[in-house]
Amino acid sequence: MKLLKPSWVSHNGKPIFSVDIHPDGTKFATGGQGEDSGKVMIWNMAPVLREEDEKNENIPKMLCQMDNHLACVNCVRWSNNGLYLASGGDDKLVMVWKRAAFIGPSTVFGSSSKLANVEQWRCVTILRNHTGDVMDVAWSPHDVWLASCSVDNTIVIWNARKFPEMVTCLRGHTGLVKGLTWDPVGKYIASQADDHSLKVWRTVDWQMEANITKPFNECGGTTHVLRLSWSPDGQYLVSAHAMNNSGPTAQIVERDGWKTNMDFVGHRKAVTVVKFNPKIFKKKQKNGSAPKPSCPYCCCAVGSKDRSLSVWLTSLKRPLVVIHDLFDKSIMDISWTLTGLGMLVCSMDGTVAYLDFSLDELGDPLSEEEKNTIHQNIYGKSLAITSTEAQLSTTIIENPEMLKYQQERQTSAQNNSGPAGAGGESSTPKLNSVMNGESLEDIRKNLLKKQVETRTADGRRRITPLCIAQLDTGDFSPALFNSVPILPSSLSNQLPPQLSCDSGPGQAPASLGLRPSHDAMLALPPPPNMAAKGLEDSKDVIKSSLLLTGASKIEPMKALDSRFTERSKATPGVTAAICSTTSLTPLDRPKDVASALKEVKAKEDTSSDSEDKMAAINKNLALCKRKPELLMDAAEVVEKRKKGRPRKDKMAPPIAQPFTQITSPPERETVRLVASTAAPSIVFKLPTPSFQKAFSLQVGMEPSVFLEVENEVTAVAGSRLSQLRCSRDGHDWNTLLSSSVLAAAGSSDVVAVACEDRMLSVFSSCGRRLLPSIQLPAPVSALDCSAHYVMALTAGATLSVWDVHKQKALVKNESLTTILSGSEVTVSQSLLTQQGVPVIGLSNGKSFCFSWSLETWTLIADRGDCLVQCADFRSCLPTQDAPGSSGPLATMQGRSLNAGRMASRLSAAPHHLQQGMTLAFLENQLASALTLQSAPEYRYWLLIYARFLVNEGSDFRLRELCKELLGPVHKSAATAWETTTLGLRKRELLREVLPVIGENLRFQRLFTEYQDQLELLRNK
């Protein structure tokens, strides 16, 4: 390591409060106190790096000096693309500077001629909103937003694509806000203030995600700045000025649950600034030795009021280097070069120091691709891809169709700029196209028409002057940012608060030569399993959460593994469980659990209304006099069962095998069934409709069909006759039966009645008997007709379905015992689809259908399934309500699928887990629609699935889907490929999927390949 203090970098002995190195490493900016104003200076980096350049008179050291700020400058920051410099000062202003076209050297106002400005930097916009000194400014990744914070306790977010537009003002701090930092992909922004708190805000809705106060409670005194920093892998946020056991520390906050178990200790006075190296490193390989797989780690510099600087690697327990008494006064700011090997530090004493590290000291920096992979693991592709989006924007579009879809995507992005979440960026394509479409002359005319007015605090109008002449230099305002509008249309994918769970089942975070603080982390927040499943036994909670993480194999980034003191030493037994609880939104107080349960119940109830209506249409009215338990909504039955210990099958790991979780029925039940076959006394498991003297029901809407049943009309020769009357479109017919009718059902084609003597009779819509009386094995429990299919469910829990036209049985006395696991589970709903697929809804929230082709029961819906509650595909839903959003699948899932409700249930899972859940859920929906033979729903879910794969960048699955839909291009005897699925032509479906693929430039080749194949087939 080399250390250099270039004496020529100075503000004439006045303090330097901020320093920032330009992204290209050729220059750096300093900000501080000038003679009687604030001063921003831009310096050449070459004389700092090379001694010969420092001695060479012809190489300028200072490039430009700007004295526009009326008072001391507290912060200077370059935009990520290097085009702009933002500065904030005690004059309550944020100024944004841009290099002007070269006009020739000019002298600094009021100075000797020696100090000539080599570069011209001029202020292109002034951002006015703060009512107090601006302490810190920060550009978001990809320069979408610029944030500034002030001693007026607020943080203002500016739209960096359209200065001086303000996106929002974040209020919540009760003290002077003195530091800001964005996370590496722009999903969160964190702020630290004198009110002893650090707050994390979401950029989706600009709401507070976390408020961390514990590490700062003991803090006395104050520091001039509190510059905090986010690690480049997104895992850790390190704060300034925290205390642990009354010693100053830099607190480490983990993004996983915002836990505060670790800190950097050793400085003697308050920490003022923390800055992470922009690179992620891995251990340097010795020459010739085989590369060992090593965990990536980060590097962080910490500066303090004690005038010393420490540099830490997250893979070491002790600091890499500590430099004492580097300055005469407190350290104010730190900036790393983009290569990660150089660092500039500035101090209140008006000097700067440059530190130069070697790769041997820090390690090998990861490439952008490797860094991107780490971001994908933590944030998911839709956010991480953004770093390659810059390259995509320069990608040449090779296919005219692709261009069309890209343009459509832009226009739809423009139209959608309404929603608050995406307001800022989604309107950018519009802006750019306008700028590019208009000539500079038009712009100038328009500018003269509009005058920008602001009101000062005392109510006076102030008209902001506009510089028009400058337009010719191509220098027009930051609206023409050369930064690409990065955020892809999948911005809406940014999920609501997600805490990530990156620690595997048994890993307690371990520690630095740092002291433990004694908060034994016993307040374990119950995971939402509690709200959703009612697991009230804390042992079970811990067990189930362990299962959850164990099953889903969450790979932690073991960056900060064994170097920090655990603050949780006091309870070694609990830590393992706590770390693995997939840090779910804490319901701290028991009453929250109760209210959450109530809320869940209320939601379930609302969804049950529509089900009851469906049930009415589904001809189940005939059975309305069943035992009351049967009509109870599934949710209520589950609710009742919540008391006491959860049932065993509820305890099965929720993610490991969600769709194979049919536990076999308990022993005693099978015994009972064996007895039932041997002895004549059958134990009936399902309730039967009670005898009624007369009842009527409507069985068809178009045309309307009414059935009226009158039992025991007349007695003839000792047997009592019953009458069935049917009216259809004004035509009536009736028939007599020799036994009392218990249940009746019908459709527009057929009418079926089941009698007390267990006989089933089927008539045509005109009253002609179609089948001979069928003897049922047990009394009927439910009867259903749909099109020309008839379904009978008996009290002995067997199910049969007949096709009346073909006069054959599709399902023959199939037993329900496989799905009726558990003694208290009963059937709450039964229906027959138009295709003759029988569907059974159970009181435990599960719905099954019997597949004729697979000859087995298949699960199509499960209310308690965590995949349903955690899947998030709101961004993939079609804009208008598609026909597939209603059908047998939607009926059985109880409309619980409206995406808004699901979003509110989003668990705080890390993105990669959430993405896996959504994928699994969408694939289940496709499979269920296929088994139910519901073509519109299949098409609906297929398009959502395709859009999700496109948004998430899942190349392999997308390719496989296209391959399956395209089929073989050349016919051969060996292919078993079917051209249609559920009557939909697969290649037509592929034509619908292609425009969705066309919205993402990354899949340009895939799009072109399949489009060419389709063209080829069309021309054949």
Side-chain angles (χ1 to χ4, degrees), residues 324-373:
H324 291 290
D325 303 320
L326 183 56
F327 299 102
D328 299 335
K329 288 188 181 166
S330 167
I331 291 180
M332 280 287 125
D333 203 1
I334 299 173
S335 176
W336 289 90
T337 57
L338 217 51
T339 60
L341 295 179
M343 171 174 49
L344 274 173
V345 190
C346 72
S347 162
M348 189 91 101
D349 66 10
T351 62
V352 300
Y354 178 72
L355 280 76
D356 186 23
F357 293 92
S358 68
L359 288 172
D360 294 326
E361 291 161 327
L362 296 184
D364 285 327
L366 297 188
S367 66
E368 279 306 307
E369 280 68 39
E370 293 170 297
K371 194 163 154 183
N372 214 29
T373 313

Short mmCIF file of all heavy atoms in Angstrom, two decimals, residues 324-373:
data_model
loop_
_atom_site.label_atom_id
_atom_site.label_comp_id
_atom_site.label_asym_id
_atom_site.label_seq_id
_atom_site.Cartn_x
_atom_site.Cartn_y
_atom_site.Cartn_z
N HIS A 324 -3.31 5.75 11.75
CA HIS A 324 -3.64 6.72 12.80
C HIS A 324 -3.13 8.11 12.44
O HIS A 324 -2.13 8.25 11.72
CB HIS A 324 -2.99 6.30 14.13
CG HIS A 324 -3.61 5.05 14.69
ND1 HIS A 324 -4.88 5.03 15.20
CD2 HIS A 324 -3.12 3.80 14.81
CE1 HIS A 324 -5.16 3.80 15.61
NE2 HIS A 324 -4.12 3.03 15.38
N ASP A 325 -3.77 9.13 12.96
CA ASP A 325 -3.33 10.52 12.82
C ASP A 325 -2.99 10.86 11.38
O ASP A 325 -1.95 11.46 11.10
CB ASP A 325 -2.10 10.76 13.72
CG ASP A 325 -2.45 10.44 15.17
OD1 ASP A 325 -3.57 10.78 15.58
OD2 ASP A 325 -1.62 9.82 15.87
N LEU A 326 -3.84 10.44 10.47
CA LEU A 326 -3.62 10.72 9.06
C LEU A 326 -3.84 12.22 8.80
O LEU A 326 -3.23 12.82 7.93
CB LEU A 326 -4.61 9.87 8.24
CG LEU A 326 -4.55 9.91 6.74
CD1 LEU A 326 -3.16 9.54 6.24
CD2 LEU A 326 -5.57 8.96 6.12
N PHE A 327 -4.71 12.84 9.60
CA PHE A 327 -5.03 14.26 9.45
C PHE A 327 -4.97 14.93 10.82
O PHE A 327 -4.80 14.27 11.84
CB PHE A 327 -6.45 14.41 8.88
CG PHE A 327 -6.63 13.80 7.52
CD1 PHE A 327 -7.27 12.57 7.39
CD2 PHE A 327 -6.16 14.43 6.39
CE1 PHE A 327 -7.43 11.98 6.13
CE2 PHE A 327 -6.34 13.85 5.13
CZ PHE A 327 -6.97 12.64 5.00
N ASP A 328 -5.16 16.26 10.81
CA ASP A 328 -5.19 16.99 12.08
C ASP A 328 -6.61 17.10 12.62
O ASP A 328 -6.82 17.44 13.78
CB ASP A 328 -4.64 18.42 11.89
CG ASP A 328 -3.19 18.36 11.42
OD1 ASP A 328 -2.55 17.33 11.72
OD2 ASP A 328 -2.73 19.29 10.74
N LYS A 329 -7.60 16.88 11.75
CA LYS A 329 -8.99 16.97 12.21
C LYS A 329 -9.77 15.78 11.67
O LYS A 329 -9.23 14.94 10.95
CB LYS A 329 -9.63 18.29 11.72
CG LYS A 329 -9.11 19.53 12.43
CD LYS A 329 -9.93 20.74 12.01
CE LYS A 329 -9.39 22.00 12.71
NZ LYS A 329 -9.94 23.21 12.10
N SER A 330 -11.07 15.78 11.96
CA SER A 330 -11.94 14.64 11.61
C SER A 330 -11.94 14.34 10.10
O SER A 330 -11.86 15.24 9.28
CB SER A 330 -13.36 15.00 12.06
OG SER A 330 -14.28 14.12 11.51
N ILE A 331 -12.08 13.05 9.79
CA ILE A 331 -12.21 12.62 8.38
C ILE A 331 -13.64 12.92 7.94
O ILE A 331 -14.59 12.67 8.67
CB ILE A 331 -11.88 11.13 8.25
CG1 ILE A 331 -10.39 10.91 8.51
CG2 ILE A 331 -12.28 10.60 6.87
CD1 ILE A 331 -9.94 9.48 8.41
N MET A 332 -13.81 13.45 6.72
CA MET A 332 -15.13 13.91 6.27
C MET A 332 -15.72 13.08 5.15
O MET A 332 -16.92 12.96 5.03
CB MET A 332 -15.00 15.36 5.75
CG MET A 332 -14.97 16.38 6.85
SD MET A 332 -16.60 16.53 7.55
CE MET A 332 -16.28 16.23 9.24
N ASP A 333 -14.90 12.53 4.27
CA ASP A 333 -15.45 11.78 3.13
C ASP A 333 -14.38 10.85 2.57
O ASP A 333 -13.17 11.11 2.72
CB ASP A 333 -15.93 12.75 2.04
CG ASP A 333 -16.99 12.10 1.14
OD1 ASP A 333 -17.34 10.94 1.38
OD2 ASP A 333 -17.47 12.79 0.21
N ILE A 334 -14.84 9.78 1.94
CA ILE A 334 -13.94 8.79 1.33
C ILE A 334 -14.50 8.47 -0.05
O ILE A 334 -15.70 8.38 -0.22
CB ILE A 334 -13.92 7.48 2.17
CG1 ILE A 334 -13.42 7.75 3.60
CG2 ILE A 334 -13.06 6.41 1.51
CD1 ILE A 334 -13.54 6.55 4.53
N SER A 335 -13.61 8.30 -1.03
CA SER A 335 -14.08 7.89 -2.36
C SER A 335 -13.10 6.88 -2.95
O SER A 335 -11.88 7.08 -2.89
CB SER A 335 -14.17 9.11 -3.28
OG SER A 335 -14.52 8.70 -4.58
N TRP A 336 -13.62 5.77 -3.50
CA TRP A 336 -12.78 4.76 -4.15
C TRP A 336 -12.76 4.99 -5.65
O TRP A 336 -13.72 5.50 -6.21
CB TRP A 336 -13.36 3.36 -3.91
CG TRP A 336 -13.24 2.84 -2.51
CD1 TRP A 336 -14.14 2.99 -1.51
CD2 TRP A 336 -12.17 2.04 -1.97
NE1 TRP A 336 -13.71 2.35 -0.38
CE2 TRP A 336 -12.50 1.75 -0.63
CE3 TRP A 336 -10.97 1.55 -2.48
CZ2 TRP A 336 -11.68 1.00 0.20
CZ3 TRP A 336 -10.15 0.79 -1.67
CH2 TRP A 336 -10.50 0.52 -0.33
N THR A 337 -11.69 4.56 -6.30
CA THR A 337 -11.70 4.57 -7.76
C THR A 337 -12.56 3.39 -8.20
O THR A 337 -12.76 2.43 -7.45
CB THR A 337 -10.29 4.37 -8.34
OG1 THR A 337 -9.77 3.15 -7.82
CG2 THR A 337 -9.37 5.50 -7.96
N LEU A 338 -13.04 3.43 -9.44
CA LEU A 338 -13.92 2.36 -9.93
C LEU A 338 -13.17 1.03 -10.05
O LEU A 338 -13.76 -0.03 -10.00
CB LEU A 338 -14.52 2.78 -11.27
CG LEU A 338 -15.96 2.35 -11.50
CD1 LEU A 338 -16.87 2.73 -10.34
CD2 LEU A 338 -16.51 2.92 -12.79
N THR A 339 -11.84 1.11 -10.18
CA THR A 339 -11.06 -0.14 -10.28
C THR A 339 -10.98 -0.82 -8.92
O THR A 339 -10.63 -1.99 -8.82
CB THR A 339 -9.62 0.15 -10.74
OG1 THR A 339 -9.02 1.02 -9.76
CG2 THR A 339 -9.57 0.81 -12.09
N GLY A 340 -11.27 -0.07 -7.87
CA GLY A 340 -11.26 -0.65 -6.53
C GLY A 340 -9.90 -0.65 -5.86
O GLY A 340 -9.74 -1.19 -4.78
N LEU A 341 -8.88 -0.05 -6.51
CA LEU A 341 -7.53 -0.13 -5.93
C LEU A 341 -7.03 1.20 -5.36
O LEU A 341 -6.04 1.24 -4.65
CB LEU A 341 -6.53 -0.64 -6.98
CG LEU A 341 -6.79 -2.08 -7.44
CD1 LEU A 341 -5.79 -2.50 -8.49
CD2 LEU A 341 -6.77 -3.05 -6.27
N GLY A 342 -7.73 2.30 -5.66
CA GLY A 342 -7.28 3.59 -5.15
C GLY A 342 -8.36 4.23 -4.32
O GLY A 342 -9.54 3.98 -4.52
N MET A 343 -7.94 5.09 -3.35
CA MET A 343 -8.93 5.72 -2.48
C MET A 343 -8.47 7.11 -2.10
O MET A 343 -7.31 7.32 -1.76
CB MET A 343 -9.10 4.84 -1.23
CG MET A 343 -9.92 5.49 -0.15
SD MET A 343 -10.26 4.43 1.24
CE MET A 343 -8.73 3.77 1.68
N LEU A 344 -9.39 8.07 -2.18
CA LEU A 344 -9.11 9.43 -1.72
C LEU A 344 -9.91 9.69 -0.44
O LEU A 344 -11.07 9.30 -0.34
CB LEU A 344 -9.55 10.46 -2.77
CG LEU A 344 -8.56 10.80 -3.87
CD1 LEU A 344 -9.22 11.69 -4.91
CD2 LEU A 344 -7.32 11.51 -3.31
N VAL A 345 -9.23 10.35 0.51
CA VAL A 345 -9.88 10.67 1.78
C VAL A 345 -9.69 12.16 2.01
O VAL A 345 -8.62 12.70 1.74
CB VAL A 345 -9.19 9.89 2.93
CG1 VAL A 345 -9.99 10.02 4.21
CG2 VAL A 345 -9.02 8.43 2.56
N CYS A 346 -10.74 12.85 2.51
CA CYS A 346 -10.57 14.27 2.78
C CYS A 346 -10.92 14.57 4.24
O CYS A 346 -11.61 13.78 4.89
CB CYS A 346 -11.41 15.12 1.84
SG CYS A 346 -13.16 15.00 2.21
N SER A 347 -10.44 15.70 4.72
CA SER A 347 -10.60 16.00 6.14
C SER A 347 -11.01 17.45 6.35
O SER A 347 -10.84 18.31 5.49
CB SER A 347 -9.28 15.72 6.86
OG SER A 347 -9.25 16.37 8.11
N MET A 348 -11.54 17.67 7.56
CA MET A 348 -11.92 19.01 7.99
C MET A 348 -10.71 19.95 8.00
O MET A 348 -10.86 21.16 7.95
CB MET A 348 -12.49 18.87 9.40
CG MET A 348 -13.13 20.08 9.96
SD MET A 348 -14.87 20.12 9.60
CE MET A 348 -15.58 19.59 11.13
N ASP A 349 -9.48 19.37 8.04
CA ASP A 349 -8.30 20.24 8.12
C ASP A 349 -7.90 20.79 6.75
O ASP A 349 -6.89 21.49 6.62
CB ASP A 349 -7.12 19.52 8.79
CG ASP A 349 -6.61 18.34 7.95
OD1 ASP A 349 -7.02 18.20 6.78
OD2 ASP A 349 -5.79 17.55 8.47
N GLY A 350 -8.70 20.45 5.70
CA GLY A 350 -8.45 21.05 4.39
C GLY A 350 -7.45 20.30 3.53
O GLY A 350 -6.97 20.83 2.54
N THR A 351 -7.10 19.05 3.90
CA THR A 351 -6.16 18.28 3.06
C THR A 351 -6.82 16.99 2.60
O THR A 351 -7.85 16.58 3.14
CB THR A 351 -4.89 17.90 3.85
OG1 THR A 351 -5.28 17.07 4.95
CG2 THR A 351 -4.17 19.12 4.36
N VAL A 352 -6.22 16.37 1.56
CA VAL A 352 -6.70 15.06 1.11
C VAL A 352 -5.53 14.08 1.12
O VAL A 352 -4.36 14.50 1.04
CB VAL A 352 -7.33 15.11 -0.30
CG1 VAL A 352 -8.49 16.04 -0.37
CG2 VAL A 352 -6.30 15.46 -1.34
N ALA A 353 -5.86 12.79 1.22
CA ALA A 353 -4.82 11.75 1.16
C ALA A 353 -5.25 10.72 0.13
O ALA A 353 -6.45 10.45 -0.03
CB ALA A 353 -4.68 11.09 2.52
N TYR A 354 -4.26 10.17 -0.61
CA TYR A 354 -4.55 9.14 -1.60
C TYR A 354 -3.89 7.84 -1.16
O TYR A 354 -2.71 7.82 -0.82
CB TYR A 354 -4.03 9.57 -2.98
CG TYR A 354 -4.26 8.53 -4.05
CD1 TYR A 354 -5.55 8.29 -4.54
CD2 TYR A 354 -3.21 7.76 -4.57
CE1 TYR A 354 -5.79 7.33 -5.50
CE2 TYR A 354 -3.43 6.79 -5.54
CZ TYR A 354 -4.74 6.58 -6.00
OH TYR A 354 -4.97 5.61 -6.95
N LEU A 355 -4.65 6.76 -1.13
CA LEU A 355 -4.09 5.44 -0.78
C LEU A 355 -4.16 4.56 -2.00
O LEU A 355 -5.19 4.50 -2.69
CB LEU A 355 -4.91 4.78 0.35
CG LEU A 355 -4.62 5.27 1.77
CD1 LEU A 355 -5.25 6.62 1.98
CD2 LEU A 355 -5.15 4.29 2.79
N ASP A 356 -3.08 3.87 -2.25
CA ASP A 356 -3.01 3.01 -3.43
C ASP A 356 -2.78 1.58 -2.97
O ASP A 356 -1.80 1.29 -2.28
CB ASP A 356 -1.82 3.50 -4.30
CG ASP A 356 -1.78 2.77 -5.62
OD1 ASP A 356 -2.83 2.26 -6.04
OD2 ASP A 356 -0.69 2.68 -6.22
N PHE A 357 -3.70 0.67 -3.30
CA PHE A 357 -3.57 -0.73 -2.87
C PHE A 357 -3.16 -1.60 -4.05
O PHE A 357 -3.32 -1.21 -5.21
CB PHE A 357 -4.91 -1.24 -2.33
CG PHE A 357 -5.33 -0.57 -1.05
CD1 PHE A 357 -6.15 0.55 -1.07
CD2 PHE A 357 -4.92 -1.06 0.18
CE1 PHE A 357 -6.54 1.18 0.10
CE2 PHE A 357 -5.30 -0.43 1.35
CZ PHE A 357 -6.12 0.68 1.31
N SER A 358 -2.66 -2.79 -3.73
CA SER A 358 -2.33 -3.72 -4.82
C SER A 358 -3.31 -4.89 -4.78
O SER A 358 -3.98 -5.11 -3.77
CB SER A 358 -0.91 -4.24 -4.62
OG SER A 358 -0.89 -5.06 -3.47
N LEU A 359 -3.35 -5.63 -5.89
CA LEU A 359 -4.24 -6.80 -5.94
C LEU A 359 -3.86 -7.83 -4.90
O LEU A 359 -4.70 -8.57 -4.38
CB LEU A 359 -4.19 -7.44 -7.34
CG LEU A 359 -4.87 -6.62 -8.46
CD1 LEU A 359 -4.59 -7.24 -9.81
CD2 LEU A 359 -6.38 -6.55 -8.25
N ASP A 360 -2.55 -7.88 -4.56
CA ASP A 360 -2.12 -8.86 -3.54
C ASP A 360 -2.76 -8.55 -2.20
O ASP A 360 -3.07 -9.45 -1.42
CB ASP A 360 -0.59 -8.83 -3.38
CG ASP A 360 0.08 -9.32 -4.65
OD1 ASP A 360 -0.51 -10.21 -5.29
OD2 ASP A 360 1.16 -8.81 -5.00
N GLU A 361 -2.96 -7.25 -1.94
CA GLU A 361 -3.54 -6.88 -0.63
C GLU A 361 -5.04 -7.10 -0.58
O GLU A 361 -5.58 -7.59 0.41
CB GLU A 361 -3.22 -5.40 -0.34
CG GLU A 361 -1.76 -5.17 -0.07
CD GLU A 361 -1.35 -3.71 -0.23
OE1 GLU A 361 -1.91 -2.98 -1.09
OE2 GLU A 361 -0.45 -3.29 0.49
N LEU A 362 -5.72 -6.74 -1.68
CA LEU A 362 -7.19 -6.81 -1.65
C LEU A 362 -7.74 -8.10 -2.24
O LEU A 362 -8.75 -8.62 -1.77
CB LEU A 362 -7.78 -5.62 -2.42
CG LEU A 362 -7.50 -4.23 -1.85
CD1 LEU A 362 -8.23 -3.17 -2.66
CD2 LEU A 362 -7.91 -4.13 -0.38
N GLY A 363 -7.10 -8.64 -3.28
CA GLY A 363 -7.61 -9.84 -3.94
C GLY A 363 -7.99 -9.53 -5.38
O GLY A 363 -7.76 -8.43 -5.88
N ASP A 364 -8.54 -10.53 -6.05
CA ASP A 364 -8.94 -10.35 -7.45
C ASP A 364 -10.37 -9.83 -7.53
O ASP A 364 -11.28 -10.45 -6.98
CB ASP A 364 -8.89 -11.70 -8.20
CG ASP A 364 -7.45 -12.09 -8.49
OD1 ASP A 364 -6.65 -11.17 -8.71
OD2 ASP A 364 -7.14 -13.29 -8.49
N PRO A 365 -10.60 -8.71 -8.23
CA PRO A 365 -11.98 -8.23 -8.34
C PRO A 365 -12.81 -9.15 -9.26
O PRO A 365 -12.28 -9.67 -10.24
CB PRO A 365 -11.84 -6.84 -8.96
CG PRO A 365 -10.46 -6.74 -9.48
CD PRO A 365 -9.63 -7.81 -8.84
N LEU A 366 -14.06 -9.35 -8.92
CA LEU A 366 -14.94 -10.17 -9.77
C LEU A 366 -15.30 -9.36 -11.01
O LEU A 366 -15.37 -8.13 -10.97
CB LEU A 366 -16.25 -10.49 -9.03
CG LEU A 366 -16.19 -11.32 -7.75
CD1 LEU A 366 -17.60 -11.69 -7.30
CD2 LEU A 366 -15.40 -12.60 -7.96
N SER A 367 -15.58 -10.07 -12.10
CA SER A 367 -15.99 -9.38 -13.33
C SER A 367 -17.44 -8.91 -13.16
O SER A 367 -18.14 -9.33 -12.25
CB SER A 367 -15.92 -10.36 -14.50
OG SER A 367 -16.90 -11.37 -14.30
N GLU A 368 -17.88 -8.06 -14.10
CA GLU A 368 -19.27 -7.55 -14.04
C GLU A 368 -20.26 -8.71 -14.10
O GLU A 368 -21.29 -8.69 -13.45
CB GLU A 368 -19.53 -6.58 -15.20
CG GLU A 368 -19.02 -5.17 -14.95
CD GLU A 368 -19.53 -4.54 -13.66
OE1 GLU A 368 -20.76 -4.52 -13.46
OE2 GLU A 368 -18.72 -4.08 -12.83
N GLU A 369 -19.92 -9.74 -14.92
CA GLU A 369 -20.85 -10.89 -15.05
C GLU A 369 -21.01 -11.59 -13.71
O GLU A 369 -22.11 -11.91 -13.29
CB GLU A 369 -20.32 -11.91 -16.08
CG GLU A 369 -20.58 -11.54 -17.53
CD GLU A 369 -19.77 -10.32 -17.96
OE1 GLU A 369 -18.60 -10.20 -17.54
OE2 GLU A 369 -20.34 -9.47 -18.70
N GLU A 370 -19.85 -11.81 -13.03
CA GLU A 370 -19.92 -12.53 -11.74
C GLU A 370 -20.70 -11.69 -10.72
O GLU A 370 -21.49 -12.21 -9.94
CB GLU A 370 -18.51 -12.81 -11.22
CG GLU A 370 -17.75 -13.81 -12.09
CD GLU A 370 -16.27 -13.91 -11.69
OE1 GLU A 370 -15.55 -12.89 -11.81
OE2 GLU A 370 -15.86 -14.98 -11.26
N LYS A 371 -20.47 -10.37 -10.77
CA LYS A 371 -21.16 -9.47 -9.84
C LYS A 371 -22.66 -9.53 -10.12
O LYS A 371 -23.48 -9.58 -9.21
CB LYS A 371 -20.63 -8.05 -10.07
CG LYS A 371 -20.97 -7.06 -8.97
CD LYS A 371 -20.06 -5.84 -9.10
CE LYS A 371 -20.67 -4.59 -8.53
NZ LYS A 371 -19.85 -3.42 -8.70
N ASN A 372 -22.98 -9.57 -11.41
CA ASN A 372 -24.38 -9.64 -11.81
C ASN A 372 -25.05 -10.91 -11.31
O ASN A 372 -26.20 -10.91 -10.89
CB ASN A 372 -24.44 -9.59 -13.33
CG ASN A 372 -25.65 -8.85 -13.79
OD1 ASN A 372 -26.13 -7.95 -13.10
ND2 ASN A 372 -26.18 -9.21 -14.93
N THR A 373 -24.30 -12.03 -11.37
CA THR A 373 -24.86 -13.30 -10.89
C THR A 373 -25.20 -13.19 -9.42
O THR A 373 -26.23 -13.68 -8.97
CB THR A 373 -23.81 -14.43 -11.09
OG1 THR A 373 -23.28 -14.30 -12.40
CG2 THR A 373 -24.45 -15.79 -10.93
#
